[in-house]
């Protein structure tokens, strides 16, 4: 048997706003933007060098979903962006306006710093220990 995690949905307020931030600020690639009718779209983005896993940008469709935009993980880090060069990517993201919630630190599992996306979701930028 062979399985893999293909996409993870992230609730967003607006497709174009989210595409602009994830591609322009984080440097992700826009993999797909397919209209589905009634204003819905299938929008996938992924970081450079991704292994096939993507982030599905899903526009909130009702008040309950809208209330979750920016707090999908209850204030915890919910997404983990691995890098092969922490210092390079930390500097690049900082220069593009990414808001880091803390200074970089070294943990037993690698170098890490928490940042927030445009909605306030918390992410780890992480260079795993080799």
């Amino acid at each position: 048997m062979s399985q893999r995690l293909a996409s993870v949905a992230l609730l967003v307020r607006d497709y174009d706003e989210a595409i602009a931030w994830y591609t322009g600020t984080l440097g992700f690639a826009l993999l797909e933007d397919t209209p589905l009718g009634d204003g819905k779209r299938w929008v996938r983005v992924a970081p450079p060098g991704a292994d096939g896993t993507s982030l599905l940008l899903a526009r909130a469709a009702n008040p309950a979903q809208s209330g979750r935009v920016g707090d999908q993980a209850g204030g915890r880090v919910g997404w983990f962006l691995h890098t092969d060069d922490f210092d390079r990517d930390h500097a690049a993201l900082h220069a593009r306006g990414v808001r880091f919630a803390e200074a970089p630190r070294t943990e037993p599992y690698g170098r890490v710093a928490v940042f927030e996306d445009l909605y306030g979701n918390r992410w780890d930028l992480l260079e795993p220990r080799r």
Side-chain angles (χ1 to χ4, degrees):
M1 178 178 0
S2 176
Q3 298 178 335
R4 70 178 177 86
L5 189 60
S7 295
V8 175
L10 178 73
L11 288 169
V12 300
R13 279 191 304 250
D14 177 81
Y15 293 118
D16 294 322
E17 164 187 75
I19 290 168
W21 196 86
Y22 281 95
T23 61
T25 304
L26 277 194
F28 284 22
L30 178 61
L31 303 178
E32 184 174 3
D33 185 356
T34 303
L36 300 176
D38 293 329
K40 294 180 184 177
R41 290 155 61 181
W42 186 260
V43 178
R44 294 184 315 115
V45 297
D51 63 359
T53 303
S54 63
L55 194 60
L56 177 70
L57 303 178
R59 188 185 66 200
N62 59 48
Q65 291 176 10
S66 293
R68 289 295 199 198
V69 172
D71 190 30
Q72 288 184 224
R76 293 186 57 108
V77 170
W79 296 267
F80 301 83
L81 182 59
H82 282 199
T83 177
D84 61 354
D85 186 331
F86 180 89
D87 292 325
R88 175 199 65 211
D89 290 343
H90 182 267
L93 293 176
H94 187 31
R96 290 195 299 259
V98 171
R99 187 175 101 78
F100 282 86
E102 61 181 30
R105 67 184 193 278
T106 301
E107 296 290 346
Y109 52 84
R111 261 201 77 217
V112 63
V114 175
F115 70 90
E116 294 180 355
D117 69 13
L118 76 161
Y119 300 113
N121 292 301
R122 295 169 63 87
W123 290 66
D124 269 358
L125 175 64
L126 173 63
E127 181 179 354
R129 185 174 300 274
R130 291 187 177 95

